[in-house]
Amino acid sequence: MNADKSRRVPRPPTAAAKRAPVRRPRKLARPELDAGPQRDVRDLLYDLREKAGRPALEDLEKRIAGDDRLDGSPKKDVIHQIISQGGPAALDDVRAVALVLALACGEDKYKIVDRVTQLMHSFDRPSGPSRDESSDNTSAPAPPPAADMTAVVVARPETGEAPGHLFVADWVPMLGDEVAFTLTGIIESVHVEVPLLTDWLTAELARRSAFDIPDDDVKKQILRPVRMAKGRSERLGPELVRLARAAHAARYTDAEIRTILNRALSFKVNGLLSSADHPGYPHPLDLGEMAAFTFGYAEKDLIELGFDAGRGRGGVRAYVPGEILLNSPELMEIGTLLAPAASSASARLYRACQSAQDFSFIGLADQRHLWTHFVLPQAFARYPFDAVIVGAGSIRAFGLP
């Protein structure tokens, strides 16, 4: 018998043998926890991981390590503990896990990180008076700020009616009923108390002061941005009074002045938190992202425009929604004449903004809306007050920078 014929012919591999082993995403344990912030953190992050398709812990560790913006750098065992039990873990590590999970499943990273930060801060916050405090009947709570000297943020809308990073203040206690928008008489020193801003800056300053850093110069550099933000926050009241006076002099209505003050306060507060490295806020130099973050728009839907008052009176730059300009018939007519045939509406708008220049091409109602809702609040936060153009009627030309 031929030796070749006697040799066994190998069977072709089966489909099962061809198939590479599939590693199923591992579902983490979810132990029972008492009701409280730790369980809330765990449930939030656990559900985010499930929604993201259960990314492997090693993968999450690599994503965090590769993101230079994150202060935390947890290893996979710490990530497991955070997702499965909500900690205990360092705040920066929990924020890092929250951010990469939010990005992995398309959730709002700012909202998720803000929520986690609030919950983590409440870990160490007692739910009631301590035994020593409850037994001391002679101690009295500190008196609240005088009502007529404080504008308290009464709403931070989370519904579809308004963006989540716009503040709404009660200006009557701050400026007085008659003084608020008629601005008669003398407005004395005003203090603006914004709970999120004040609480976080105070807590962050204490946290950084506790760092064990022997080099005084290094420690000063670490404390400097928070101290500067705290100092600027204490000047908010007088600055807003000045803005209210200028808006009244520019013949804005009561409703418009309220909008200007609310949005200017929002832009200032978000900018101060950003400059002090509050997690979840855009970098202070990324003005486009900050405008989108504050006003509730996608950054791609905003256009940066320059506005010029002419005759050496200066100008300002600001990000404004393209949708308002798209509804200006005269402006779009110019874009249609200048842009190639069959151009998109956005392309026609850009051509118009490159060439139109005369601000009168934007209707009066749209001019005022742009100024009260977008341009003036940004200018108030970005420029020295003497350089701020308060009235939209002062603008002669506009266009792409």
Side-chain angles (χ1 to χ4, degrees):
M1 181 181 291
N2 191 318
D4 290 338
K5 290 183 179 179
S6 65
R7 189 177 298 143
R8 294 183 64 181
V9 177
R11 291 185 178 183
T14 63
K18 288 181 181 179
R19 193 181 301 124
V22 177
R23 184 178 180 183
R24 295 182 177 275
R26 185 161 66 96
K27 188 169 186 176
L28 301 181
R30 194 170 186 167
E32 286 293 327
L33 298 173
D34 293 335
Q38 182 174 345
R39 189 175 76 179
D40 292 342
V41 169
R42 189 277 307 276
D43 290 347
L44 174 61
L45 299 183
Y46 192 98
D47 291 343
L48 284 176
R49 180 176 180 263
E50 291 291 304
K51 186 176 179 180
R54 298 180 192 169
L57 301 180
E58 295 88 346
D59 183 38
L60 294 177
E61 181 183 335
K62 289 178 182 177
R63 293 188 204 181
I64 293 171
D67 194 331
D68 294 335
R69 299 169 300 175
L70 300 178
D71 294 323
S73 55
K75 302 301 181 185
K76 68 175 185 178
D77 56 336
V78 177
I79 297 173
H80 181 286
Q81 186 167 308
I82 291 170
I83 297 175
S84 184
Q85 301 184 54
L91 177 58
D92 287 339
D93 289 346
V94 179
R95 288 172 178 160
V97 173
L99 188 138
V100 296
L101 287 176
L103 291 174
C105 58
E107 292 288 337
D108 185 333
K109 61 182 180 182
Y110 302 116
K111 189 173 181 180
I112 295 297
V113 173
D114 280 353
R115 177 62 179 151
V116 165
T117 301
Q118 292 169 10
L119 289 170
M120 290 293 291
H121 278 318
S122 64
F123 270 35
D124 302 323
R125 193 175 297 168
S127 57
S130 67
R131 184 176 302 174
D132 294 338
E133 291 172 337
S134 60
S135 62
D136 183 5
N137 296 323
T138 61
S139 61
D148 61 344
M149 298 295 285
T150 305
V152 179
V153 173
V154 294
R156 195 176 187 193
E158 296 292 349
T159 66
E161 299 174 1
H165 297 94
L166 275 175
F167 296 96
V168 179
D170 181 3
W171 296 105
V172 173
M174 173 181 168
L175 301 177
D177 195 4
E178 292 184 1
V179 175
F181 302 111
T182 59
L183 297 176
T184 57
I186 298 175
I187 303 175
E188 297 182 2
S189 175
V190 174
H191 174 65
V192 179
E193 181 72 23
V194 183
L196 171 65
L197 177 68
T198 305
D199 292 352
W200 189 82
L201 289 174
T202 301
E204 182 66 4
L205 195 57
R207 185 180 78 88
R208 296 188 185 196
S209 298
F211 289 169
D212 186 13
I213 300 175
D215 190 321
D216 289 341
D217 289 337
V218 173
K219 192 159 189 177
K220 285 178 182 177
Q221 289 299 318
I222 291 174
L223 295 175
R224 185 171 179 268
V226 183
R227 283 176 172 165
M228 290 182 64
K230 203 168 188 299
R232 291 200 299 269
S233 73
E234 292 166 357
R235 298 193 294 270
L236 270 177
E239 290 173 353
L240 287 164
V241 169
R242 194 176 181 188
L243 179 61
R245 288 184 182 278
H248 179 260
R251 299 179 181 274
Y252 285 105
T253 65
D254 290 2
E256 286 174 327
I257 294 175
R258 286 181 185 273
T259 297
I260 291 168
L261 292 177
N262 284 338
R263 287 176 168 245
L265 173 65
S266 301
F267 218 94
K268 277 278 193 178
V269 168
N270 291 334
L272 289 173
L273 289 169
S274 171
S275 67
D277 302 323
H278 190 292
Y281 280 67
H283 191 279
L285 297 181
D286 194 339
L287 300 176
E289 189 176 357
M290 176 57 76
F293 174 81
T294 301
F295 298 134
Y297 281 81
E299 193 172 355
K300 65 180 178 61
D301 295 329
L302 298 178
I303 302 175
E304 186 183 21
L305 293 178
F307 301 89
D308 185 8
R311 295 183 182 178
R313 296 175 60 191
V316 297
R317 289 185 181 185
Y319 287 87
V320 302
E323 64 184 13
I324 297 176
L325 305 177
L326 287 168
N327 291 323
S328 296
E330 290 180 312
L331 191 62
M332 292 306 294
E333 184 177 348
I334 293 170
T336 301
L337 292 173
L338 297 176
S343 295
S344 65
S346 60
R348 297 198 302 273
L349 174 60
Y350 271 91
R351 288 304 298 269
C353 291
Q354 285 175 331
S355 308
Q357 296 188 348
D358 191 335
F359 197 46
S360 63
F361 285 123
I362 300 176
L364 180 60
D366 285 337
Q367 289 179 27
R368 292 179 74 91
H369 185 72
L370 282 175
W371 224 256
T372 56
H373 285 67
F374 302 98
V375 181
L376 186 51
Q378 288 180 69
F380 179 70
R382 293 172 59 180
Y383 297 95
F385 189 84
D386 292 338
V388 172
I389 300 169
V390 176
S394 300
I395 297 302
R396 296 292 174 263
F398 82 104
L400 297 176

